[in-house]
Amino acid sequence: MTNDIQHTAVRRTGRAITIVAAAAGALLLWTVDGPWAGLDLAVHQGDTTRHIGPAAVALTALVAGLAAGGLLTLLERTVRRPVRTYRIIASIVLILSLAGPLGSGVGTSSRLVLLAIHMTVGAALIIGLPGRRNYR
């Protein structure tokens, strides 16, 4: 029983680190491509333009990470091949999420940076969240 508790604690810690790392990667890209490069990252929302700041980047990445972690936990309890199923679902969600920056980014540079941020967070969560355990 103690071994199961330790294993669960290690898994949760690893997942939390992965989620924070995904958010940190997104913030790093925002910093390098936004303020340092002089780009103003923005998206169209209806008739208005919304500027993308660090809080929005970090919060969105954290929410995506928590949702992905919840999905993976649910799949581990309900399906035979949870990591494979998780990676398929997460990859589809990532591909669908790319429509946001493509459709609403203001200018080519904003679109490219926002796509890079999406891909960074998505890759970190798809590859890193399941960890290095071996599944069938």
Side-chain angles (χ1 to χ4, degrees), residues 78-108:
T78 58
V79 299
R80 184 172 168 219
R81 299 176 82 175
V83 171
R84 179 176 181 219
T85 305
Y86 165 76
R87 287 189 170 143
I88 290 169
I89 293 170
S91 296
I92 291 168
V93 170
L94 174 60
I95 290 167
L96 292 174
S97 81
L98 297 177
L102 285 173
S104 63
V106 176
T108 303

Side-chain angles (χ1 to χ4, degrees), residues 114-132:
L114 293 171
L115 284 171
I117 290 171
H118 274 245
M119 294 298 293
T120 298
V121 172
L125 297 176
I126 291 168
I127 296 167
L129 209 56
R132 296 181 61 190

Side-chain angles (χ1 to χ4, degrees), residues 20-109:
V20 170
L27 279 173
L28 180 63
L29 273 174
W30 178 86
T31 302
V32 169
D33 293 327
W36 286 0
L39 298 177
D40 183 25
L41 301 180
V43 293
H44 292 294
Q45 285 188 326
D47 294 336
T48 63
T49 299
R50 179 173 169 239
H51 298 278
I52 307 299
V57 170
L59 185 61
T60 302
L62 290 173
V63 168
L66 291 173
L71 172 65
L72 181 56
T73 299
L74 176 68
L75 292 172
E76 286 173 338
R77 295 177 184 175
T78 58
V79 299
R80 184 172 168 219
R81 299 176 82 175
V83 171
R84 179 176 181 219
T85 305
Y86 165 76
R87 287 189 170 143
I88 290 169
I89 293 170
S91 296
I92 291 168
V93 170
L94 174 60
I95 290 167
L96 292 174
S97 81
L98 297 177
L102 285 173
S104 63
V106 176
T108 303
S109 59

